[in-house]
Structures are given as structure tokens and as C-alpha cells.
Amino acid sequence: MKKKYIAALLLGNSFFMLTGFDSKLTSQEILDASSEAIRQIKELNSVSGNIECRMKAQVSLSSEDGSIPEVSTTALNRISGDFTVLNDSSMEMDLKWKVILPGMQDTMTLRFYRFPGENGFQNYFYDSANDEWMKTVFPMETDRQFMSIMKYGFSAFTGQNTSLFLPEGEIDGEDLFNYMPKDLYSDQEIEELEDLCEPFLSVIKIKADRVTVSPLPTEIDGASCYKLEQDISYDIDGLSEILEQLCLDMNEASSAEASEGICKEEMEELFRLCELAEELMNDIPIKMTYYIDDTTFLPAKEILDLSGLDFSAFLQELAEWSVEYERYGLDSEKDAAIPKIGVSFPEYKMEISYKLNETDEIKIPSDALYAQKIEPESDIEWKPNTELK
């Protein structure tokens, strides 16, 4: 009996001691192993890494009668840089934002440092436009929220929040509260948020495909990784009806009949906008990708991909609907110049790579020591709270 117990124990633990890529592992087994690997970290002191956002936008404008000169252009945006966050909410971030348009190119820099001082956390910002540093102390409530967000981020790495993917199938919008970072809010705040959002979330459904695992390893920053992917889409129907009822409830005028008439007259255009918004959101493509080191099972990189996002049909319908012929003295639709609009994003990706416990100190650049001081908007007394537990 004792031998069988030891054998079973070794078999169970061996799952988390795998080294090297194993194509037989399922997505759930990989995620479970990753959660366990993170829990084995005795103390998570820092998360550092790189962030990159690439966006390519194609814009066109013309009209069939030639009254609007044909215009077509491509805009490229790229935000990239490094970051480090410590477990007390200290952080440093160095980002560059590059914009490329036909005949123009510009690069801006954002640098942010935050660390505890005598009167609370000191926050340093670098303004590249004016080539100067500024420093300030956030109001207590703002700083509390900031620290709560950092705390939630660390909980994701320590295994307290392992919902990297949505379950396969259709999810009601109301169920989104199950995936909310509830430790960021009080019970009363959550209840108020649910009451406010419930009518709108009731018309939202999320469709999540099965999580897939690439049959071959992918190299990320020199490490062999498992690649896990999931496609997500929205199904929104009935938003205008929700707003109509909301408007009727709000317009309690002289009588219910009068209120209803006022509401219908005032909300007719908004209802049409809601219908267009539904069509737009239902066409948004979302792909989530995670890379997990196949030796350590620690997270290495994640990607949010919205490539293929196309606003053209939405903007075209909006332009055709919004032309008010009488306002411009036009006799018919034939006299109106309705533009042909195209706005699409062939590439729209955000990538974040991670490294754990790489550093335990935030060092401010020497040129920031003479930063201009900005007083916080709130004069609430500061109560130090430098540890996220």
C-alpha cells in the first residue's frame, strides 16, 4: 500500500517536472502546469519585460460624382519599450511612439518612474516635447487604485488569477462579472456596477472557440515555448431596445403617453446609431495568443491581435444615414454628395513579453532629480501603504 501511494505521488508530481516540448499535452494540462510552476516561486518580487503595439491603418475617401477628391493613405503607428513593476507598485517604463504618414515621421518618448518617498510614492514623468521632467504625488484615492491594479497584475502571476482563456462556447455578457478582478473593488462598488451594467450586458454574448496548441514549439527570446491560441467574437442584439426602455424610465414627464412621444422623437437617431454599433462590434475579430516556456512552464509572452478590423461598412452606413437633405436645401438624395469611406486595420497587434524576478530596485535617471514639482489636485492626508500583500 505504501509503495502504491509513493508511486502515485511521484506520477502526479512528474507532470510538473516535465522538461522540453511535449506535443501530447493538452491546453488545459499546459495551463495547469504553468499555474503550478508560478505557485512554486517562493516570492515574486518583480515583473519586467517588453511591450510593443503595431498598428497599420488604411484610409480612403472619395465620391462617385467626383465632387470629393479621391484620397488614399496608409498610417503606421508603433509603440515599443521596456517596463519593470515591483511588488510594492514601484515601476519604471520607457516607451517610444513612432508615427509614419506620407511625407512625415515623428517619434515621441514617454518615460515614467515611480518609487516610495517620505510623503508617499513619488511619480516622475518625462515630457519629450518640451524635454523636461515633472514629479508629483498622486492623490490618495488615485494612488490606492493604482496600487490595486498592480496588485491584481501580480496575482495573475502568482496563480491567484489563472483565467487566461474563456471557456469554449457562448458566454452571456452578464457572466463577465465572474472574470472581473473583484479584489479591486468593494462589495458595494461591485453591486452598483452590476446594477448599472446588467441591462446592457444582457444583450451581449461572447463566442469563444476551443483553445488550440501548436504542434511545434515556438522560440521566444531564445526559449522554446508552447503556443496557445483562442479566437473570440461578439454577438450583440437588442441594444436599441434597452436604450428605449431606459429613456422611457428617465422621461417621467406630465404623462406616460407624453413621455413616450418625447422619448421616441428624441431617441430615434440614437437607436439607429446603436444598430450600426451592433453591426460594427459583431465584426470585430479577436485572437488571444500565449507563449509558455516548455521547460519552466512560466509565461513568456502574450499577444492581443485585432488585425483585420474594418470600420468601412460602419462609417459608410453612418455617412449615408446622416445626410440631412433639407438642411442643405437639397430636393432629393440624388443632389447629395455622399462620400465613399474606407478605414481598415490590416495589422493591429499588442505584444507583451515577461521576465520574473529580474530586478528588485527602481533607479531614477540622474537628469530627473531636478524635475519640476507639480502639486496633487487633492489635499487629502497621505497614509503610507507601500506593501502589496
Side-chain angles (χ1 to χ4, degrees), residues 56-81:
K56 179 180 181 181
Q58 293 181 339
V59 182
S60 62
L61 184 66
S62 63
S63 64
E64 292 183 358
D65 61 1
S67 60
I68 299 177
E70 185 172 348
V71 176
S72 181
T73 188
T74 299
L76 300 177
N77 281 268
R78 181 182 179 184
I79 300 175
S80 61

Side-chain angles (χ1 to χ4, degrees), residues 110-113 123-127 132-136 138 371 374:
L110 169 64
R111 302 175 72 183
F112 173 62
Y113 291 81
N123 304 281
Y124 288 76
F125 302 86
Y126 174 67
D127 178 9
E132 67 176 359
W133 284 90
M134 295 170 286
K135 67 178 179 179
T136 189
F138 292 153
I374 300 177

Side-chain angles (χ1 to χ4, degrees), residues 16-148:
F16 301 109
M17 297 171 63
L18 296 173
T19 57
F21 186 85
D22 184 351
S23 60
K24 297 179 181 179
L25 291 182
T26 67
S27 60
Q28 192 58 54
E29 289 172 334
I30 295 171
L31 292 172
D32 288 343
S34 179
S35 296
E36 180 62 23
I38 293 171
R39 290 190 188 99
Q40 295 301 318
I41 299 177
K42 293 182 179 180
E43 185 175 2
L44 183 59
N45 298 316
S46 69
V47 177
S48 57
N50 177 268
I51 183 171
E52 183 172 352
C53 181
R54 300 189 303 275
M55 183 181 70
K56 179 180 181 181
Q58 293 181 339
V59 182
S60 62
L61 184 66
S62 63
S63 64
E64 292 183 358
D65 61 1
S67 60
I68 299 177
E70 185 172 348
V71 176
S72 181
T73 188
T74 299
L76 300 177
N77 281 268
R78 181 182 179 184
I79 300 175
S80 61
D82 302 315
F83 68 90
T84 296
V85 182
L86 304 186
N87 63 354
D88 66 350
S89 86
S90 298
M91 69 179 298
E92 63 176 315
M93 183 177 292
D94 191 345
L95 298 178
K96 285 184 172 55
W97 182 10
K98 190 173 186 179
V99 181
I100 301 177
L101 295 169
M104 189 197 82
Q105 178 174 313
D106 194 14
T107 300
M108 292 167 280
T109 300
L110 169 64
R111 302 175 72 183
F112 173 62
Y113 291 81
R114 168 183 168 85
F115 55 89
E118 294 181 358
N119 298 313
F121 278 90
Q122 304 294 317
N123 304 281
Y124 288 76
F125 302 86
Y126 174 67
D127 178 9
S128 62
N130 298 313
D131 189 24
E132 67 176 359
W133 284 90
M134 295 170 286
K135 67 178 179 179
T136 189
V137 174
F138 292 153
M140 185 178 66
E141 182 60 23
T142 301
D143 211 89
R144 184 189 70 81
Q145 295 175 353
F146 191 96
M147 294 176 71
S148 296

Side-chain angles (χ1 to χ4, degrees), residues 165 207-211 229-233 285-288:
F165 296 100
K207 297 179 179 179
D209 291 348
R210 180 175 61 89
V211 179
E229 295 179 296
Q230 183 179 47
D231 290 318
I232 301 171
S233 60
I286 303 174
K287 180 182 286 292
M288 300 293 299

Side-chain angles (χ1 to χ4, degrees), residues 64 118 147-148 160 212 246 249 261 285 316 318 361-362:
E64 292 183 358
E118 294 181 358
M147 294 176 71
S148 296
Q160 298 173 32
T212 61
L246 182 63
D249 293 341
Q316 190 63 48
L318 187 61
E361 184 180 7
I362 299 294

Side-chain angles (χ1 to χ4, degrees), residues 302-320:
E302 66 179 78
I303 300 176
L304 173 63
D305 191 349
L306 300 176
S307 298
L309 185 61
D310 196 332
F311 290 162
S312 302
F314 168 75
L315 294 174
Q316 190 63 48
E317 282 196 63
L318 187 61
E320 294 175 0

